[in-house]
Amino acid sequence: DAKTTQPNSMESNEEEPVHLPCNHSTISGTDYIHWYRQLPSQGPEYVIHGLTSNVNNRMASLAIAEDRKSSTLILHRATLRDAAVYYCILRDVRAGNQFYFGTGTSLTVIP
Amino acid sequence: DAGVTQSPTHLIKTRGQQVTLRCSPKSGHDTVSWYQQALGQGPQFIFQYYEEEERQRGNFPDRFSGHQFPNYSSELNVNALLLGDSALYLCASSLRTGRDLTDTQYFGPGTRLTVL
């Protein structure tokens, strides 16, 4: 049921911006795009979500393509604490509020 | 404000045994979802409880069952344990009737189950 495609791993230097891509070519009009991250030995943590417009919060920004078939999570200044697995998830609000996770992108932050 | 809590933290069982895992949702939340996360994989949805009933279910056998109590806390039961049931079991809570229609889920730290 995972309907997203993400790179398995990415690296970033500390204090530089990070752009984490996600492809979701089969997205429907009622699918919200969610991003969660999972730090080692912890449960997933909410990062950001959006429907059509770009979104910003204190943790990150979410850029959504005009056709909604892809999105990018942007961490403006990576810190060592941002090293985690990042999951891009589509959630259809008509089908219930369970999340279907893929394998995510493992982000390594280099000091 | 306490977040989602789960107990126990770790558990070791043998094949064929039964196990019960517990979850207390974030204060004010009324919906609990359970996920299984095998090593190196993303979480897989097991089922969701709201108003003390199972509302949605993922692709898991009926050896996996649950319960939600009037205080919104929940239990996950697994019968006839198999080696393949070894995983991190995550509980997530959300507010079904909240203004945020996307029902952002808040996850607990999980229970690590090892089946020998």
Side-chain angles (χ1 to χ4, degrees), chain A residues 32 36 38 91 97-99, chain B residues 35 37 48 56 102 105:
Chain A
Y32 278 76
Y36 278 71
Q38 188 171 21
R91 181 176 159 269
N97 52 357
Q98 68 273 24
F99 289 164
Chain B
Y35 294 80
Q37 186 173 25
Q48 183 182 84
Q56 273 130 15
T102 62
Q105 297 194 3

Side-chain angles (χ1 to χ4, degrees), chain B residues 17-116:
Chain B
Q17 287 189 310
Q18 178 264 345
V19 68
T20 297
L21 310 181
R22 296 176 176 81
C23 171
S24 292
K26 180 178 169 65
S27 178
H29 282 185
D30 57 9
T31 301
V32 173
S33 302
W34 286 92
Y35 294 80
Q36 179 195 67
Q37 186 173 25
L39 203 60
Q41 302 296 315
Q44 300 298 307
F45 174 72
I46 302 175
F47 44 52
Q48 183 182 84
Y49 277 82
Y50 171 66
E51 291 185 334
E52 303 180 45
E53 290 188 14
E54 183 183 297
R55 299 292 177 171
Q56 273 130 15
R57 189 179 184 92
N59 188 26
F60 279 81
D62 56 12
R63 296 188 298 110
F64 290 78
S65 63
H67 189 76
Q68 186 179 34
F69 299 94
N71 67 352
Y72 308 121
S73 67
S74 177
E75 291 181 347
L76 164 66
N77 301 294
V78 187
N79 294 323
L81 284 167
L82 304 174
L83 296 179
D85 294 331
S86 294
L88 179 68
Y89 287 85
L90 296 160
C91 169
S93 75
S94 57
L95 180 59
R96 192 179 183 92
T97 56
R99 291 182 302 169
D100 180 358
L101 295 177
T102 62
D103 292 309
T104 298
Q105 297 194 3
Y106 294 82
F107 285 80
T111 294
R112 174 70 63 186
L113 173 65
T114 301
V115 181
L116 302 177

Side-chain angles (χ1 to χ4, degrees), chain A residues 1-64:
Chain A
D1 291 281
K3 298 176 283 187
T4 62
T5 303
Q6 299 176 254
N8 288 332
S9 61
M10 292 185 63
E11 288 187 351
S12 174
N13 293 320
E14 193 176 11
E15 298 188 3
E16 290 188 354
V18 183
H19 290 233
L20 298 168
C22 180
N23 287 317
H24 29 79
S25 58
T26 60
I27 191 169
S28 70
T30 51
D31 280 336
Y32 278 76
I33 302 161
H34 288 251
W35 284 82
Y36 278 71
R37 72 180 186 181
Q38 188 171 21
L39 280 65
S41 302
Q42 295 187 25
E45 172 189 32
Y46 169 78
V47 178
I48 201 167
H49 75 276
L51 182 61
T52 56
S53 303
N54 294 344
V55 183
N56 300 295
N57 65 21
R58 64 176 180 81
M59 290 182 67
S61 295
L62 175 60
I64 301 173

